[in-house]
Amino acid sequence: MALREQYRVTVFVGGVGGARLAYGLAQVLPPERLTIVVNVGDDFWHLGLKICPDSDTVMYTLSGRVDRAQGWGVEGESTHMLEALRTLDPDGGQTWFKLGDKDLATHLWRTHALSEGARLTEITDVLRQRLGMAHRLLPVTDDSVPTRVETVERGWLSFQEYFVRYRWQPTVRCLLYDGAERARVSPEVAAAIDESDALVFAPSNPWLSVAPMLAVGDLRARLMARAVPRVAMTPILGGAAVKGPAAKLMGELGYPVGAEAVAGFYGELLTGFVDDTRNPPFAAGGLDVLRADTLMSDDAARVRVARELLAWLENGGGA
Ligand code: FO1
């Protein structure tokens, strides 16, 4: 079915899972009709470099450069720098975060541009164009909003320490989106929201990827002010997360593991919800629910899910 002329979508994404939906949407919608807004809560400084993992995962995925087995990093990557660093740092204090050689160029270029005074939004726009990504990619804010994780076993950790260094094994007690109230939604993101015909939350981790975006400044109020479909897709399929700690984290934070609790996380922000056919149906209150096979294991599935979502929205679904 042909989509309505000029129908514009903004999709909010985290890393690997979000990039998969963004990839599908980008095969269906031309660049002027799709804006991808990305979480910056995972961003951190490492070895003097500004690393933006979710942003880079989306750029590499949509430009066809991603290491498909990992879901992040660059395909065919070499690790000469990392090996040399291991010689200098035999105790592994800095080598737990694996920076490949090509990926390193992205971090060097970004850090240099920041030191020259450019905004993260401007830098991300240049990077994605030069890497060959056609669609617009916007960090939710130019401000720093690092996610911090309080764990039972290791106390407070930075997000990447929790996620990569300790492989999300520590038990999470609580999460902090540091500086989020003071952070401002970028003007580009504000404009994208105001000009969109639908606002979509990818099947990203609600607490680790979506919450750090919703906590930024007045983002939630800006979204609520739009009388367009505001829909989210479940990251929980058949009682488990496709990848990563979503299900484990839900249990630790005291939520029942399932799509209903995911919908509850968004609350009145949503007008619609995309649930997976593997999940038991639930009473979704006023939400319009699309039930679909949302597993996006290959490119064809990503495009199929994106088409199904857009057809539903186009036919008045999710409102
Ligand atoms: N994830 C890992 O599990 N191990 C790594 O060593 C690692 C390095 C890395 C380097 C650059 C980058 O952009 C991402 C990287 N990731 C790594 C992925 C990433 O940190 C996480 O998947 C996300 O932050 C969670 O969305």
Side-chain angles (χ1 to χ4, degrees), residues 234-251:
T234 181
I236 301 290
L237 278 64
V242 177
K243 194 174 191 290
K248 176 175 178 285
L249 186 69
M250 286 182 86

Side-chain angles (χ1 to χ4, degrees), residues 12-18 39 42 54 159 162-163 168 175 177 202-213 233-236 241 243-250 253 262 265-266:
F12 294 82
V13 303
V16 179
N39 170 42
D42 296 20
D54 285 355
F159 178 82
Y162 160 73
F163 197 95
W168 44 271
L175 295 155
Y177 313 113
S204 298
N205 188 309
W207 291 272
L208 296 183
S209 300
V210 180
M213 292 192 272
M233 190 178 287
T234 181
I236 301 290
K243 194 174 191 290
K248 176 175 178 285
L249 186 69
M250 286 182 86
L253 294 177
V262 172
F265 158 86
Y266 287 97

Side-chain angles (χ1 to χ4, degrees), residues 15 42 53-54 56 72 96-99 103 159-160 163-164:
D42 296 20
D54 285 355
D56 294 351
W72 52 268
W96 53 270
F97 195 75
K98 297 184 181 54
L99 293 177
D103 186 36
F159 178 82
Q160 295 297 341
F163 197 95
V164 173

Side-chain angles (χ1 to χ4, degrees), residues 285-315:
L287 284 185
D288 188 20
V289 177
L290 169 69
R291 290 180 62 77
D293 176 359
T294 64
L295 188 63
M296 294 182 278
S297 36
D298 58 20
D299 288 351
R302 292 163 201 179
V303 174
R304 175 185 48 74
V305 171
R307 280 196 194 286
E308 213 169 324
L309 168 65
L310 291 168
W312 177 59
L313 292 169
E314 170 71 1
N315 283 324

Side-chain angles (χ1 to χ4, degrees), residues 99-110:
L99 293 177
D101 298 333
K102 291 180 193 163
D103 186 36
L104 188 58
T106 303
H107 312 308
L108 285 167
W109 195 89
R110 176 190 293 119

